[in-house]
């Protein structure tokens, strides 16, 4: 358990900062809901005078923005993006930091099997991600509930939970990179471009087709529009997400078991 | 000059990937516009009547997104974020990596003063940033023209990319200053990107809540936002001066701090 506890300790401060920043950003945004709600009802009257085509195009957006959860969903994309960066940092750093910082020599000479070290590291990352999400929810739910009586807590949690899933996917991919790369020199130099690459892939939908692209980026596995409409996730993409995590973590164990970790 | 060439070579591969990312981003963004523009003019009228708070929440505050230039302006914020990440990472890592990889002993015993080494490294970083900017500029011309529908956008693109270059320099030298001052070389890059991401979040907050407008002096992302730049077809002098001050101060700090730095060997 020592590796597990050590990893928790070393990432405690940064996780705390991440959680509080995400919670602060989410809450600040939610506090603006009161002001925008009045604007929206005024705009809805304007909308009625326009042809049905225009109403159809913007109607859904407006309808969504009218509820607290729908309004939150617009900022939530950014929160998920930040959360993904945090998760990728943790994942890439877990083993990558040891190998890159030449501390792997000391860690691997301890009487622990490699799989045990990796399992403890992965578990620690998971615990840190759970903690981040608990803080986020604990802060944003009361703030969102205070914004009006029509607050749908179940939908809000359903929406917020997608960050956790996206984080787990990025942490697994990061873990695999940290294990498979020869040497991770700088964790952020890997995690930031990596996460943004997937983010850009998500934007490529207009070029290669919105449906096809969804399989290639974790940011699109949980479609906010679908969740708001159906209060559920899409089963197919849940399976894709689980498959990605299982394959990435499994591959990490397989690679790390036989990895030639070079001493200084 | 050896350090300069060596740094250019070391960063070549990553620069190519960043250019590919920018190319994809611009191409994908403008392809989205094509889908958007065909949806008709009644939406354009509707947009005009949309309350400011609403259009800010949807991400196109103050831009006429039905015009190619307005849409490009919306895309520009993402481009800005990407080059800011590149510049901050590059600036911090180019100095910090020697200590991080335990190669500073080998570099420092060479018959070159520290300030000469810093000059060579910063020059190499400057070239990298410039190349990324020029690639974005060239591609913007090539791609945006296709969608412009007769709208002449040469000046707009030049203005926005010029602004992007200033923002790149701000983050590049902020990154190098952080690396020169910071105690732990391993955390220089994460510190630099943290500063950068915080200023980005501040810029989103400013967008959503107009009462916090005074915060825009704190975030380079707002110094040359697309809407005001395209509106007046120029930069606000305050922000040009402010950027110049930040750049000069960061460069001075980088040289002074690195010159007397207690290198971790």
């Amino acid at each position: 358990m020592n590796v597990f506890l050590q990893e928790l300790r070393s990432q405690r401060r940064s996780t705390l900062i991440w959680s509080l920043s995400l919670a602060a950003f989410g809450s600040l945004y939610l506090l603006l809901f009161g002001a925008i709600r009045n604007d929206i009802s005024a705009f809805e009257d304007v909308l009625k005078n326009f042809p049905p085509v225009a109403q159809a195009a913007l109607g859904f957006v407006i309808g969504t923005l009218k509820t607290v959860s729908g309004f939150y969903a617009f900022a939530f994309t950014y929160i998920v993006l930040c959360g993904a960066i945090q998760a990728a940092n943790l994942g890439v750093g877990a083993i990558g930091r040891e190998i890159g910082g030449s501390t792997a020599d000391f860690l691997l000479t301890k009487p622990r099997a490699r799989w045990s070290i990796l399992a403890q590291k992965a578990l620690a990352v998971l615990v840190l991600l759970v903690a981040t999400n608990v803080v986020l929810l604990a802060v944003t739910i009361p703030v969102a509930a205070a914004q009006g009586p029509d607050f749908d807590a179940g939908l809000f949690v359903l929406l917020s939970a997608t960050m956790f899933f996206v984080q787990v996917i990025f942490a697994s991919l990061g873990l695999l990179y940290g294990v498979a790369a020869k040497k991770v020199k700088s964790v952020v130099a890997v995690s930031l471009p990596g996460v943004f690459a997937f983010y850009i892939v998500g934007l490529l939908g207009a070029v290669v087709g919105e449906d096809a692209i969804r399989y290639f980026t974790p940011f699109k596995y949980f479609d906010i529009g679908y969740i708001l409409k159906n209060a559920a996730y899409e089963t197919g993409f849940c399976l894709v997400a689980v498959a990605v995590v299982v394959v990435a973590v499994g591959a990490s164990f397989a690679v790390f078991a036989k990895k030639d970790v070079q001493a200084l | 000059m050896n350090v300069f060439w060596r740094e250019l070579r070391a960063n070549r591969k990553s620069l190519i990937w960043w250019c590919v990312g920018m190319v994809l981003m611009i191409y994908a963004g403008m392809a989205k516009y094509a889908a958007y523009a065909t949806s008709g003019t009644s939406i354009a009228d509707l947009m005009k009547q949309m309350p400011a708070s609403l259009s800010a929440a949807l991400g196109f505050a103050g831009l006429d997104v039905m015009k190619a230039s307005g849409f490009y302006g919306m895309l520009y914020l993402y481009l800005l974020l990407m080059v800011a990440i590149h510049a901050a990472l590059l600036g911090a890592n180019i100095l910090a990596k020697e200590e991080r990889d335990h190669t500073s002993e080998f570099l420092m015993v060479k018959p070159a003063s520290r300030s000469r080494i810093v000059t060579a490294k910063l020059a190499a970083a400057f070239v990298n940033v410039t190349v990324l900017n020029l690639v974005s500029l060239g591609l913007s011309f090539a791609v945006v023209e296709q969608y412009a529908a007769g709208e002449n956008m040469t000046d707009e693109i030049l203005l926005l990319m010029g602004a992007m270059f200033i923002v790149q320099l701000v983050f590049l030298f902020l990154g190098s200053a952080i690396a020169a001052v910071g105690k732990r070389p391993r955390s220089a890059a994460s510190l630099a990107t943290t500063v950068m991401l915080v200023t980005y979040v501040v810029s989103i907050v400013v967008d959503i809540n107009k009462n916090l407008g005074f915060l825009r002096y704190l975030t380079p992302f707002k110094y040359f936002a697309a809407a005001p730049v395209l509106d007046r077809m120029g930069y606000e002098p305050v922000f040009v001066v402010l950027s110049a001050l930040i750049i000069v101060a960061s460069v001075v700090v980088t040289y002074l701090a690195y010159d007397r730095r207690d290198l971790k060997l």
Side-chain angles (χ1 to χ4, degrees):
Chain A
M1 287 305 279
N2 290 333
V3 177
F4 172 74
L5 293 175
Q6 165 63 25
E7 183 75 7
L8 283 191
R9 242 195 318 272
S10 76
Q11 297 302 312
R12 190 174 47 190
R13 211 169 62 123
S14 109
T15 305
L16 192 68
I17 294 174
W18 272 105
S19 331
L20 292 181
S21 320
L22 290 176
F25 179 61
S27 310
L28 268 179
Y29 181 79
L30 278 168
L31 286 174
L32 300 171
F33 183 64
I36 218 166
R37 186 162 44 182
N38 300 332
D39 286 347
I40 290 176
S41 24
F43 185 61
E44 266 188 318
D45 297 334
V46 177
L47 190 65
K48 286 204 186 85
N49 305 324
F50 277 89
V53 191
Q55 288 193 27
L58 273 177
F60 175 67
V61 175
I62 303 301
T64 317
L65 272 172
K66 252 174 32 182
T67 66
V68 185
S69 300
F71 175 70
Y72 185 57
F74 275 89
F76 196 63
T77 320
Y78 295 108
I79 297 181
V80 171
L81 181 62
C82 294
I85 295 172
Q86 182 210 5
N89 277 340
L90 286 173
V92 174
I95 295 296
R97 220 176 332 107
E98 306 284 354
I99 297 176
S102 322
T103 47
D105 321 15
F106 303 98
L107 181 60
L108 294 179
T109 49
K110 295 279 185 291
R112 282 286 170 277
R114 286 195 179 189
W115 66 262
S116 158
I117 291 173
L118 187 55
Q120 292 188 46
K121 288 266 189 187
L123 194 62
V125 170
L126 191 66
V127 168
L128 291 165
L129 291 182
V130 170
T132 307
N133 282 275
V134 167
V135 171
L136 180 66
L137 277 176
V139 174
T140 50
I141 287 183
V143 178
Q147 298 307 311
D150 58 342
F151 173 61
D152 183 348
L155 188 61
F156 190 82
V157 173
L158 207 61
L159 190 68
S160 300
T162 59
M163 180 172 98
F164 177 66
F165 302 135
V166 172
Q167 283 189 312
V168 171
I169 298 172
F170 275 104
S172 323
L173 293 175
L175 190 69
L176 178 58
Y177 185 90
V179 167
K182 207 168 135 212
K183 196 171 191 182
V184 176
K185 284 180 174 173
S186 162
V187 173
V188 275
V190 173
S191 62
L192 268 182
V195 168
F196 272 90
F198 279 109
Y199 192 72
I200 293 172
V201 168
L203 300 175
L204 285 175
V207 185
V208 272
E210 300 287 355
D211 289 330
I213 205 76
R214 291 192 57 195
Y215 291 95
F216 294 101
T217 169
F219 288 114
K220 295 266 173 178
Y221 288 175
F222 304 97
D223 184 48
I224 287 173
Y226 183 90
I227 297 171
L228 288 174
K229 228 185 262 175
N230 304 300
Y233 303 134
E234 290 157 278
T235 324
F237 282 100
C238 287
L239 292 177
V240 174
V242 171
V244 170
V245 172
V246 169
V247 169
V249 174
S252 304
F253 275 96
V255 172
F256 192 54
K258 307 216 159 183
K259 186 177 172 68
D260 177 18
V261 179
Q262 290 180 355
L264 200 67
Chain B
M1 284 305 272
N2 289 330
V3 178
F4 174 76
W5 291 116
R6 154 94 202 127
E7 286 300 343
L8 279 191
R9 227 182 358 258
N11 284 298
R12 188 174 50 195
K13 209 169 82 181
S14 109
L15 179 62
I16 292 174
W17 279 111
W18 277 100
C19 289
V20 170
M22 290 298 281
V23 167
L24 286 178
M25 188 86 185
I26 295 172
Y27 183 61
M30 289 318 280
K32 218 163 207 164
Y33 168 72
Y36 208 63
T38 50
S39 56
T41 48
S42 59
I43 294 182
D45 294 339
L46 199 54
M47 296 268 185
K48 285 205 187 84
Q49 304 196 35
M50 192 178 276
S53 59
L54 198 55
S55 68
L58 294 177
F60 39 77
L63 294 167
D64 182 359
V65 288
M66 297 312 291
K67 274 165 62 183
S69 59
F71 196 90
Y72 181 70
M74 188 164 77
L75 181 64
Y76 172 71
L77 185 61
Y78 293 99
L79 301 182
L80 212 53
L81 182 60
M82 279 181 65
V83 294
I85 294 175
H86 171 251
L89 278 177
L90 182 65
N93 274 335
I94 208 162
L95 286 185
K97 68 177 177 182
E98 305 291 350
E99 285 169 83
R100 190 191 65 204
D101 299 344
H102 313 289
T103 47
S104 40
E105 299 101 306
F106 303 101
L107 180 61
M108 291 305 160
V109 292
K110 296 279 184 290
S113 67
R114 284 197 187 182
S115 48
R116 254 189 66 195
I117 292 172
V118 172
T119 307
K121 280 176 175 279
L122 290 184
F126 183 86
V127 170
N128 270 280
V129 162
T130 311
V131 169
L132 188 61
N133 189 287
L134 289 178
V135 167
S136 315
L137 180 70
L139 195 86
S140 295
F141 277 137
V143 173
V144 176
E145 293 282 282
Q146 289 178 21
Y147 298 103
E151 192 188 349
N152 184 8
M153 289 181 47
T154 314
D155 292 347
E156 280 90 343
I157 293 177
L158 277 175
L159 265 178
L160 288 180
M161 287 296 139
M164 186 167 101
F165 189 60
I166 302 178
V167 174
Q168 282 178 296
L169 293 184
V170 168
F171 282 114
L172 175 69
F173 293 122
L174 272 181
S176 69
I178 287 172
V181 174
K183 287 248 168 3
R184 291 168 52 208
R186 289 199 73 81
S187 60
S190 68
L191 202 59
T193 46
T194 307
V195 170
M196 193 273 309
L197 282 176
V198 167
T199 61
Y200 181 67
V201 170
V202 170
S203 80
I204 298 177
V205 171
V206 172
D207 259 342
I208 299 174
N209 193 340
K210 290 284 173 282
N211 295 333
L212 297 173
F214 62 92
L215 283 178
R216 65 204 179 109
Y217 293 99
L218 292 180
T219 165
F221 288 102
K222 276 278 144 217
Y223 290 179
F224 312 102
V229 167
L230 291 181
D231 231 25
R232 70 204 326 256
M233 285 307 279
Y235 310 139
E236 289 174 68
V238 187
F239 290 120
V240 177
V241 173
L242 196 55
S243 313
L245 280 178
I246 297 177
I247 291 172
V248 170
S250 304
V251 171
V252 171
V253 167
T254 305
Y255 274 99
L256 288 182
Y258 203 79
D259 223 31
R260 31 192 88 189
R261 186 179 171 80
D262 183 11
L263 295 167
K264 309 254 180 322
L265 299 178

